[in-house]
Amino acid sequence: MTTLSAVDLTDPEDREQQADVTRRLLYFLNAPIVEYCRLRGVLPAPGAVRIAIRAGDDENARDFLYEIPNDAVTPYYVPGLLRTVLTGPQLHSSSDVDEVMGMALIRLRPKEITPDPEPEQGRALTAVRALSGPGDDENPFLIGFLMHGDGLLRLYLQRTDRPGIVGADIRLTEMPATALIASLPSLVEEDQYRQPSPDDPHCDLLVDLTNW
């Protein structure tokens, strides 16, 4: 059994990684990661993050602690990594298995695991969350969204410099649309992307960014 002293996250990148993984996994407090597997916590460890999972039904549940090195995978891929591990048979060497706080600790090797693709809902959550900063309550940019079509997300955006609501369509790709999300405030002002919105009464005009 491993005994750990209190973890001191002195490396700024480790702290940032830990915080990012924690934010991304909050959603799974209300929904199982996979069937019969629920999130129990996100714990810091030296150079790694540990994800506590309760697997099984109430009568036969077991608690596991999956350790993921910070330098092996970006936070975006952590949910997919867990889905792969929790839905298929995995072989672990004895050196990668331990016990901590009554939970079976399993040290994962992400380079040997192919993450499951992020479901459409997860990709939508990533985009919406990126536009919903806690400091935007008084002057919000994102005021609504709609998943529609084949992997499309319509974002309802309130422009700060003029009245009216813009509906911006983006495509939910496997990779996070970080650059697109960051560029949205300027892209919605460009005439080349604008078009009328005759079929959507919830916005004044549409901006098509599905091929951006």
Side-chain angles (χ1 to χ4, degrees), residues 5 14 18-19 28-29 34 38 47 53-54 62 66 74 76 94-95 97 104 109 129 141 152 160 165 169 177 185 207:
S5 58
D14 281 351
Q18 176 74 28
F28 296 106
L29 286 173
V34 298
R38 289 191 169 273
I53 299 292
R54 175 158 291 176
R62 290 189 60 193
Y66 292 96
T74 64
Y76 176 78
S94 58
S95 61
V97 179
R109 300 176 182 268
R129 185 165 46 198
F141 182 51
L152 299 181
T160 58
I165 297 173
D169 282 339
V207 173

Side-chain angles (χ1 to χ4, degrees), residues 102-183:
M103 294 177 280
L105 170 66
I106 300 175
R107 298 179 180 89
L108 299 180
R109 300 176 182 268
K111 293 181 180 179
E112 301 173 5
I113 303 170
T114 300
D116 273 3
E118 187 74 14
E120 190 175 271
Q121 291 88 345
R123 284 176 269 153
L125 177 63
T126 297
V128 170
R129 185 165 46 198
L131 290 167
S132 304
D136 297 335
D137 291 343
E138 294 185 2
N139 192 18
F141 182 51
L142 176 71
I143 58 174
F145 66 92
L146 173 68
M147 297 172 63
H148 70 107
D150 185 14
L152 299 181
L153 176 67
R154 179 164 295 173
L155 301 165
Y156 294 94
L157 308 172
Q158 176 69 61
R159 293 173 293 180
T160 58
D161 60 336
R162 69 182 80 175
I165 297 173
V166 177
D169 282 339
I170 67 172
R171 194 170 299 280
L172 294 170
T173 63
E174 295 298 332
M175 296 296 292
T178 306
L180 172 57
I181 294 299
S183 304

Side-chain angles (χ1 to χ4, degrees), residues 11 20 34 38 42 49 55 63 71 76-77 83 98 111 147 170 198 204:
D11 188 327
D20 198 343
V34 298
R38 289 191 169 273
V42 182
V49 61
D63 290 335
D71 60 356
Y76 176 78
Y77 290 104
R83 282 193 296 271
D98 212 325
K111 293 181 180 179
M147 297 172 63
I170 67 172
D204 299 286

